[in-house]
Amino acid sequence: MNLGYTAEEERFRQELRTWLAKTLPTLPPKPNPLDWPARRAYDLGWQRTLYDAGYGELHWGATPTQHLIFLEETERAGAPYVGANFVGLLHAGPTIAAEGTPEQRQRWLPPILRGEEVWCQGFSEPEAGSDLAALRTRAVRDGAGAGAGAGAGDYIVTGTKIWTSHAEVADWCELLVRTDPTVPKHRGITWLAMPMDAPGVTIRPLRTLAGSTEFAELLLDEVRIPVSHRIGEENDGWRVTMVTLSFERGTAFVGEVIACQRVLRELAETARRNGRWDDAVLRRRLGRLHAEFRALWRLTQWNVSEAEAAERGVPGVGGSVFKLRYSHARQDLYDTAAAVLGPESLDLSHAWTLDRLSSLSYTIAAGTSQIQQNIVAERILGLPKGR
Amino acid sequence: MDFRLTDDQRALQAGMRDLLAARFDRERLRATVRNPALDRALWRALGDAGFFALRLPESEGGVGLGLPEAVLLFEEAGRALLPGPLVATHLAAGSVPGAASGDTVVTARDGELIEWLTDADHILGEAPEPTPAPTPTPIRSIDPLTPLHRVRSRPTTTPCPGAALLTAAQQLGSAGRTLDMAVSHARTREQFGQPIGAFQAVKHLCAQLLVRTETARTAVYAAAVTEDPLDLATAKLLADEAAVNNARDCLQVHGGMGFTWEADVHLHLKRAWVRAQQWQTAAEAEEALATGLGQP
Ligand SMILES: Cc1cc2nc3c(=O)[nH]c(=O)nc-3n(C[C@H](O)[C@H](O)[C@H](O)COP(=O)(O)OP(=O)(O)OC[C@H]3O[C@@H](n4cnc5c(N)ncnc54)[C@H](O)[C@@H]3O)c2cc1C
C-alpha cells in the first residue's frame, strides 16, 4: 500500500504544473457550451496546444499513473476538458492503438493527437441500446471477388444509428455493423472506421433535455466504407467492442472526479455566502459528498494500480464499480447544488443548472446502471447469467 | 504509486485469517452468542500473534509495523465478528502493562459508552481502578456480543483518530463478509427452478454490496497510509455505511431465514450499529468533512 509517486513521476507533475500555469492564461475565452462548432474549434485547439508541448499522447502513450497525474493536474489547474475529442482520445484511439495494424495506427492516431480530427461513436441503434449486440445495421462486401486481395473492396452499409454524441462536428465514426446475420448475434459484428462525409450519411440532430444538439441520429444509406477501414477481423467486432467499452468505462471519467471536488468547494463557499451553511442538514450533506469524492479518487488510484500491475493496457471491470458509484455521486452533487442555490437553481443561465441536467445522462450513457450491475454481478461476483 | 497490498501485507492478512479460522470460526461464534464471555485464552493467542503489539517498536518488544498492517488485521477481526475491546487494548499496548501480550484486557470510555466493562481489567485514560467517577449503569446491549455500560455525563474522552480507523477497518471486514454470505446464498438457494442469483433484483442487490465494500476498502486503506484527518473521517463514514447497509441487504437476500436468530446476519448488523456509534459518528464525520471543504 503506497500512495506516493516516484521521483520521475513527481518531476513530470512539476513540469506539467509549470507549463499549465504559463499556458492557460494564453488560451482564448471558452465558447458557449451549446455551440458545438465553436466547441470543436476550441477543443481541437487545446489538443494541438498539448501536442505541441509534447503532452498530446498522454491518453494512451503513457503509463496509467502518468495519465492519472495528467488528468489530475489539468483538472486542478482548470484546463479545458477533452470535450469533442472524448471519443477519439479516450476510446476510439486506444482501441486502434491496441487492435489496429501499423498502417491503421499511422493513418488515424496522429490526426487525433494533433487535434485535427474528431471522432464519434456509432454503436447504439433505435432497436439496440442496452442489448447492443442486437444491432441490425447491415454491411455487405462488394468488389472483393476472385482475384481481389483479402483487404480489397468496400463494405456497403445501410441502417440507423442513434444517440451519436458530437456527430455534427465529427470527421470519423467508430461504427459497429452486422456482417453476418446467420450466426448468433455476438458473432456477426464488425468494427469499422467510417468517414462522416461519405455519401449516404445523413445526420439528424436530436435535442437533449438540456436544449443542446450534442447528439444525433445517423441515417446510413448504402454508405461505402473501404475494407481497409476495418479494425480487427470481420465478424470479430464484438471482441474489439469490449476493448472499446472497457476504455470508455475504465479511464474516461477520471478527470471529472477532480472537477467535482472543485465544484463541491465552490458549493461550500456559496453556501457560506448565502447563509445556507447554517442549515445543518445541508452542511452534513456537503460533508458526505466530500467523503464520496475523496473515496472515488482513491478508487481511481486503486484501479490505476491494478491496471498497471496487469500490464494489459486495457482497464478491467473495476471501471464498472467506479462508474456505478460515480454516476450516482455526480447526480447527488448537482441536486445538492440546487439546494444550495435555492430559486437560482431554476435559472438556466447558471452553469450548475445545465450541469444538473446533463448529470442525468450519467446513469444511462456508456451502459446504464442496471447493465453495469449485471456486469458486476456476473463477471466479478460470478452469479449465474439470467433473465 | 502502487496502492495494492505488498506480499508481506498479504501474508500477514492470510496469517490472521488462518488464526481466526482455527480459533474463532462460525461454530465458536454461535457458542459465544449462547454464552457471552470474553475468551481470555483467545485474547492471549491474539497477543502472541502480535495483534496488540503490532505497532509497538521492536525495541519495546513490539512487531514494529504500521497503521496499514493494523488495518488489515482489524479487517480480518471484523470479518470473523471477533468480540471484545480490541481497539482499546491495541491502543493501550506499550502504556498499560500486559496489554501488548493480551494478558490484560483494556476497554475505553467512548463518549457515553463503555464496552466490555465487567470483563476488562483496565479502562484506558482513567485511573487504574476498575470504575470511573460517575457510576456506569449496564444497558441491555442490542449486540449480544458487545456488553455496554452507559455513563450519563459529558464525555471525557477526546476523539481518537486511530481508534476510529481501526473501528472502520472492522466495519469493512464485516461488509466484506456479508457480501460473501449474500453471494454464496444467491448462488445456491433456488426458487422458480433456478438459483435466486440469476434474478436481476437479487443480482443488483449483490452488485451494490460489492460497490459499497470496494469504495469503503479504498477509503480505509488510503486513510491508513495518509493518516489525514479528512481521509480518516471519510473512511469511518463510508465503512459504517457499508457495514450497516451490506448487513441489511444480506438479510434481504436470505429471505425469512435472514430474520432468524440462527442466521449470522443479524449479528453483523447489530455489531455494525454499535460500531457506527463508536469513536466518530456519522454526524461528527460529516461535520468534519464539511469544515474541511473550507480549507484551501
Ligand atoms: C447523453 C448520451 C450520449 C450518448 N452517446 C452515445 C454515443 O455517442 N454513441 C452511442 O453509440 N451511444 C450513445 N448513447 C447511447 C447509450 O449508450 C444508450 O442510451 C444506453 O446504452 C441505453 O440504451 P437505450 O437508450 O436503448 O435504453 P434501453 O436499452 O431501452 O433501456 C431502457 C431502460 O431499460 C433498462 N434495461 C434494458 N435492458 C435491461 C436489462 N437487461 N436488465 C435491466 N434493465 C435493463 C435500462 O437500464 C434502462 O433503464 C448516449 C446516451 C446518452 C444518454
Side-chain angles (χ1 to χ4, degrees):
Chain A
M1 256 183 250
N2 163 19
L3 288 169
Y5 294 86
T6 65
E8 196 188 325
E9 285 161 352
E10 284 301 348
R11 207 172 321 115
F12 170 73
R13 187 195 292 281
Q14 273 316 324
E15 277 172 25
L16 181 60
R17 229 178 242 186
T18 311
W19 180 79
L20 285 166
K22 186 171 60 118
T23 309
L24 293 183
T26 68
L27 294 186
K30 285 204 171 129
N32 174 343
L34 302 184
D35 180 349
W36 280 91
R39 282 181 73 169
R40 173 191 155 104
Y42 183 85
D43 295 343
L44 286 177
W46 169 238
Q47 180 58 27
R48 179 76 205 194
T49 308
L50 285 171
Y51 180 83
D52 288 342
Y55 296 122
E57 212 165 332
L58 275 159
H59 291 292
W60 68 77
T63 66
T65 302
Q66 271 184 331
H67 189 196
L68 184 81
I69 293 172
F70 172 76
L71 292 169
E72 188 182 4
E73 290 304 321
T74 44
E75 271 303 335
R76 199 151 273 163
Y81 191 49
V82 280
N85 291 313
F86 189 93
V87 172
L89 282 170
L90 295 176
H91 47 92
T95 303
I96 294 170
E99 298 288 334
T101 63
E103 298 77 49
Q104 289 174 331
R105 290 205 287 268
Q106 193 44 43
R107 167 64 192 86
W108 284 299
L109 299 187
I112 295 174
L113 298 179
R114 287 195 299 256
E116 290 162 5
E117 290 180 350
V118 168
W119 281 66
C120 64
Q121 180 187 43
F123 283 12
S124 306
E125 297 182 8
E127 304 303 325
S130 297
D131 187 9
L132 179 56
L135 61 93
R136 294 206 293 229
T137 292
R138 285 284 305 274
V140 189
R141 280 286 275 274
D142 179 50
D154 294 329
Y155 287 105
I156 301 178
V157 178
T158 299
T160 307
K161 291 288 169 179
I162 200 165
W163 320 128
T164 315
S165 301
H166 315 151
E168 272 189 292
V169 296
D171 305 289
W172 291 93
C173 178
E174 47 175 24
L175 187 74
L176 295 186
V177 294
R178 180 155 308 281
T179 32
D180 187 350
T182 66
V183 293
K185 60 182 181 178
H186 293 92
R187 301 222 195 105
I189 294 170
T190 299
W191 202 108
L192 299 176
M194 177 178 80
M196 290 297 283
D197 60 1
V201 178
T202 307
I203 302 168
R204 285 224 312 250
L206 298 165
R207 231 160 109 90
T208 72
L209 52 65
S212 151
T213 52
E214 77 179 54
F215 54 31
E217 195 172 15
L218 297 185
L219 308 178
L220 308 177
D221 182 16
E222 303 204 340
V223 180
R224 278 188 174 269
I225 303 175
V227 172
S228 60
H229 284 27
R230 185 186 69 216
I231 307 295
E233 294 303 309
E234 185 169 290
N235 297 329
D236 190 31
W238 187 250
R239 191 189 55 78
V240 184
T241 305
M242 289 303 110
V243 173
T244 311
L245 292 183
S246 61
F247 280 113
E248 181 172 12
R249 288 162 194 170
T251 43
F253 300 106
V254 170
E256 295 188 13
V257 173
I258 306 286
C260 286
Q261 283 176 315
R262 191 173 59 233
V263 170
L264 190 56
R265 278 195 303 274
E266 287 165 14
L267 270 180
E269 240 175 75
T270 307
R272 284 203 175 86
R273 265 202 320 272
N274 72 14
R276 288 197 168 81
W277 187 256
D278 298 333
D279 173 352
V281 174
L282 182 58
R283 197 171 62 233
R284 285 183 53 184
R285 199 170 156 187
L286 290 166
R288 187 167 277 268
L289 275 167
H290 191 181
E292 270 306 311
F293 286 106
R294 286 181 96 89
L296 281 163
W297 179 249
R298 299 308 185 189
L299 207 47
T300 301
Q301 289 179 311
W302 184 272
N303 285 340
V304 164
S305 288
E306 292 284 338
E308 210 144 75
E311 280 177 23
R312 288 177 309 140
V314 180
V317 271
S320 289
V321 173
F322 174 85
K323 189 187 180 260
L324 276 167
R325 187 90 182 195
Y326 171 62
S327 52
H328 179 76
R330 188 178 176 100
Q331 289 173 358
D332 201 9
L333 173 71
Y334 287 106
D335 281 345
T336 308
V340 169
L341 289 176
E344 218 187 317
S345 71
L346 303 178
D347 181 351
L348 268 177
S349 51
H350 202 295
W352 289 344
T353 308
L354 272 183
D355 286 337
R356 185 185 191 198
L357 289 173
S358 69
S359 77
L360 298 171
S361 75
Y362 277 70
T363 42
I364 299 171
T368 68
S369 288
Q370 285 70 38
I371 295 299
Q372 305 294 340
Q373 289 183 126
N374 289 348
I375 291 173
V376 167
E378 289 167 11
R379 290 202 224 146
I380 304 182
L381 297 176
L383 288 173
K385 273 202 179 295
R387 341 169 168 175
Chain B
M1 180 196 69
D2 187 359
F3 200 170
R4 295 166 319 136
L5 306 197
T6 63
D7 290 343
D8 285 350
Q9 286 170 338
R10 268 178 223 287
L12 190 73
Q13 189 182 43
M16 181 69 180
R17 200 172 281 201
D18 291 346
L19 182 141
L20 289 175
R23 303 287 306 239
F24 196 76
D25 61 2
R26 292 280 130 175
E27 230 162 274
R28 189 95 198 90
L29 170 68
R30 303 303 313 190
T32 315
V33 171
R34 280 189 296 275
N35 181 18
L38 200 80
D39 180 347
R40 291 270 175 170
L42 175 56
W43 210 254
R44 269 187 298 273
L46 287 171
D48 288 344
F51 184 86
F52 301 117
L54 191 78
R55 291 191 293 150
L56 269 191
E58 287 177 64
S59 56
E60 292 171 39
V63 187
L65 292 173
L67 203 47
E69 286 76 21
V71 152
L72 292 176
L73 296 192
F74 275 80
E75 180 182 349
E76 290 308 316
R79 271 187 83 78
L81 218 50
L82 191 64
L86 295 163
V87 171
T89 306
H90 178 96
L91 292 177
S95 64
V96 176
S101 59
D103 290 307
T104 306
V105 174
V106 182
T107 187
R109 173 160 177 201
D110 168 27
E112 289 183 14
L113 295 170
I114 308 176
E115 60 172 7
W116 290 98
L117 178 65
T118 317
D119 290 64
D121 307 309
H122 187 91
I123 301 172
L124 196 63
E126 310 268 351
E129 57 262 21
T131 34
T135 318
T137 50
I139 62 173
R140 290 184 57 215
S141 173
I142 190 169
D143 175 8
L145 290 183
T146 312
L148 292 169
H149 280 70
R150 190 159 178 205
V151 190
R152 287 176 196 277
S153 67
R154 291 311 305 150
T156 52
T157 39
T158 44
C160 174
L165 184 65
L166 296 175
T167 305
Q170 292 177 82
Q171 296 282 54
L172 167 63
S174 177
R177 174 71 198 163
T178 48
L179 163 68
D180 293 350
M181 285 159 64
V183 171
S184 71
H185 188 71
R187 280 211 199 102
T188 46
R189 168 73 175 168
E190 292 197 4
Q191 287 292 294
F192 300 95
Q194 57 180 326
I196 56 169
F199 299 113
Q200 276 197 341
V202 174
K203 222 173 248 186
H204 290 188
L205 282 175
C206 292
Q208 285 304 328
L209 280 149
L210 178 87
V211 171
R212 273 187 223 115
T213 310
E214 292 305 300
T215 310
R217 178 187 314 285
T218 55
V220 167
Y221 289 3
V225 173
T226 67
E227 300 187 36
D228 175 288
L230 295 177
D231 284 341
L232 292 163
T234 298
K236 182 62 166 51
L237 188 65
L238 297 188
D240 284 346
E241 189 236 2
V244 169
N245 289 333
N246 276 17
R248 294 185 99 111
D249 285 354
C250 178
L251 197 152
Q252 181 67 21
V253 168
H254 278 77
M257 188 203 281
F259 192 69
T260 66
W261 186 266
E262 271 317 300
D264 293 341
V265 191
H266 71 107
L267 298 174
H268 280 277
L269 179 57
K270 290 164 176 173
R271 187 76 57 81
W273 275 334
V274 168
R275 289 197 195 109
Q277 291 289 324
Q278 288 177 328
W279 299 110
Q280 191 176 37
T281 62
E284 288 161 352
E286 284 167 351
E287 287 288 0
L289 284 153
T291 307
L293 281 173
Q295 288 159 5

